[in-house]
Amino acid sequence: LAQAILHRDALESSILLFRLQSLSSMSAFVPSLIAPHPRVDISPAHTELIQKHAPKPAVGQGTSGKKDLIRFVSHAGALATASVAFTVAGRRRRRKMQRCTGSVLTRAHKESSSILKETAAGNRMPDVQQNQNGSIRDNVVKLAKDAGISLEIKPWERLSSFAKDAARGWFVRRAEDRGIPWSDSVSFFESHQAALDKLYAEICNPTIKYPDYYTLPFHGYEEGNLAWSAAHELEAATQSMCLGYYEGLTWQEAQEKYRGAARETIAQRWFSANFTGSETLTFRAPKTLLDIGCSGGFSTQEMAKIFPGVAATGLDLSPYYLAVAKLLYPEHDFVHGLAENTGFSSESFDVVTLNFILHELPLASSRAVLREAYRLLAPGGMVAILDVNPRRLLELPPLRRWAFQVTEPWCKDGEYYSLDLEKELKDLGFEAVSVTANDPVNAMIIARKLK
């Protein structure tokens, strides 16, 4: 592509530059793609051509996208130059290269049209907070199809190692650029490996058979959640979750804003439903809380803050994550088990929370987890679910959405996009189901079990 930009005419170059809009609009992959390669300067004439035809940067992006585009072309030009140096000169060879280049241009033109169409369609997606008719997932798939947005994502295991390194490298670099001490956090857990190994041995249930859906690559890790590499990065990765939620906030402020919103909503719903006297202002506080899919215990700690003195238990399927959780929060109980079949007694918890677990499950498993939550709740108990709003995903620029979905094998049509939480909860017997926007990306769903 860079060779065509450098050596062919302006019309074809402009077509390719629109294809490179994907890199301009998402600086995510640009630094990782270009870092290992030497730089080849572009002549002023070609630089002017690039600047003339490059799309305008997205709102809030400034001019960095265009600079990254030029920089990318420079380094890609180095690759093209190196490859040409090893080709056999000759008319037949050049003609063959021209035919290949023409084919590339045709494909690029088609792909660029698709990307531009998808970007425009994404901008037309309705705002879920303004659309009060129907459930939060009502017609999500239909909306995507009407807007021309493809929900099919290439699985992580089919990506090249080059693309995988680019994706993972971007996440780490973005976090460190925003002040998250990623490397220091990883070093901390690596230095405590002996303690983690001991906790792992204490927590791991060797009789558990992992479901097939759980052994897939997750979050950019080949072994998914079942490896120390993922556990070592868990804290830093969790801290980086909300980096794009709010403008002008530090990562600490952003974390507190979105987690604080969740705590406040849950507290208000619980205490409004358990107010026992207007004169004494007394409330029935929950005694037991189960955090299903607790990961490294961060959500368990946040949920425990809502109800001081509650006996909080975190459950997860990764013993690696649970070892991290117990190391960081020894005051809580952590159990290695299946979310669909926890093994706890019926009606043994006052509150059950599910933080960012359902989008990681196939549809059938999500329904099984909701049934288990209903079984575990005591009468008058409450379930609180914090998770990604699929309509918000549809509103993201295409490659930003791809970067998220490619590491989430169950965020697709027929699975998470087809999960209607409001309907599922009501069908199970839950009452007083409510859905609110917790932050710009995630939704909070709360319901009560009255009998």
Side-chain angles (χ1 to χ4, degrees), residues 230-245:
H232 290 162
E233 294 188 322
L234 194 55
E235 181 182 54
T238 302
Q239 291 170 348
S240 68
M241 278 180 55
C242 58
L243 287 181
Y245 290 6

Side-chain angles (χ1 to χ4, degrees), residues 28 31-32 35 166 168-178:
S32 298
R168 282 190 41 75
W170 173 73
F171 281 108
V172 175
R173 187 176 296 105
R174 181 187 69 155
E176 292 186 330
D177 287 346
R178 294 286 295 275

Side-chain angles (χ1 to χ4, degrees), residues 86-355:
F86 288 97
T87 60
V88 179
R91 182 177 300 174
R92 181 177 302 175
R93 186 71 175 179
R94 288 195 298 272
R95 287 178 178 174
K96 183 178 180 180
M97 183 178 293
Q98 289 174 353
R99 289 196 297 271
C100 292
T101 304
S103 176
V104 168
L105 286 168
T106 301
R107 292 197 302 272
H109 189 197
K110 291 180 179 179
E111 292 179 16
S112 66
S113 299
S114 175
I115 286 179
L116 292 174
K117 176 183 177 183
E118 188 173 346
T119 304
N123 292 333
R124 294 196 303 269
M125 294 302 300
D127 191 323
V128 69
Q129 297 180 24
Q130 297 175 0
N131 186 354
Q132 300 298 327
N133 297 323
S135 66
I136 189 173
R137 285 163 179 77
D138 185 31
N139 295 325
V140 168
V141 176
K142 182 178 183 299
L143 286 170
K145 291 180 179 178
D146 290 346
I149 296 177
S150 173
L151 299 180
E152 293 300 320
I153 302 297
K154 187 177 183 180
W156 177 262
E157 62 268 21
R158 292 175 57 195
L159 294 179
S160 67
S161 59
F162 188 73
K164 291 176 181 179
D165 290 343
R168 282 190 41 75
W170 173 73
F171 281 108
V172 175
R173 187 176 296 105
R174 181 187 69 155
E176 292 186 330
D177 287 346
R178 294 286 295 275
I180 294 175
W182 191 293
S183 299
D184 291 343
S185 178
V186 172
S187 297
F188 169 82
F189 289 108
E190 289 176 342
S191 67
H192 288 75
Q193 189 59 55
L196 289 173
D197 288 335
K198 182 180 179 180
L199 291 170
Y200 175 95
E202 295 173 357
I203 292 174
C204 181
N205 182 351
T207 66
I208 287 181
K209 182 180 179 181
Y210 295 103
D212 290 340
Y213 73 77
Y214 196 73
T215 59
L216 297 174
F218 270 95
H219 305 148
Y221 302 102
E222 298 294 339
E223 297 172 295
N225 300 333
L226 299 173
W228 285 121
S229 57
H232 290 162
E233 294 188 322
L234 194 55
E235 181 182 54
T238 302
Q239 291 170 348
S240 68
M241 278 180 55
C242 58
L243 287 181
Y245 290 6
Y246 312 104
E247 291 289 338
L249 298 184
T250 65
W251 71 265
Q252 297 95 330
E253 292 169 339
Q255 278 278 320
E256 178 56 30
K257 187 170 183 176
Y258 103 90
R259 291 195 182 276
R263 295 196 306 266
E264 183 178 351
T265 301
I266 294 172
Q268 287 177 347
R269 280 296 306 274
W270 174 268
F271 289 118
S272 65
N274 291 276
F275 176 66
T276 59
S278 58
E279 295 182 0
T280 58
L281 295 178
T282 57
F283 300 89
R284 183 179 75 87
K287 297 180 180 179
T288 53
L289 181 150
L290 176 64
D291 184 30
I292 297 179
C294 67
S295 185
F298 313 107
S299 58
T300 311
Q301 173 68 4
E302 289 297 319
M303 297 299 99
K305 289 179 182 178
I306 305 172
F307 309 111
V310 71
T313 301
L315 180 136
D316 202 89
L317 196 50
S318 171
Y320 301 89
Y321 287 5
L322 291 172
V324 169
K326 195 62 177 178
L327 179 69
L328 295 177
Y329 308 107
E331 66 273 25
H332 303 313
D333 293 327
F334 294 100
V335 177
H336 184 207
L338 290 162
E340 305 95 315
N341 184 17
T342 63
F344 293 116
S345 300
S346 297
E347 300 184 354
S348 55
F349 292 95
D350 295 317
V351 178
V352 172
T353 59
L354 296 93
N355 288 270

Side-chain angles (χ1 to χ4, degrees), residues 358 362-372 418-419 424 428:
L358 295 182
L363 182 60
S365 297
S366 293
R367 288 170 171 163
V369 171
L370 295 176
R371 287 195 297 271
E372 180 71 353
S418 299
L419 178 63
E424 297 288 346
L428 286 171

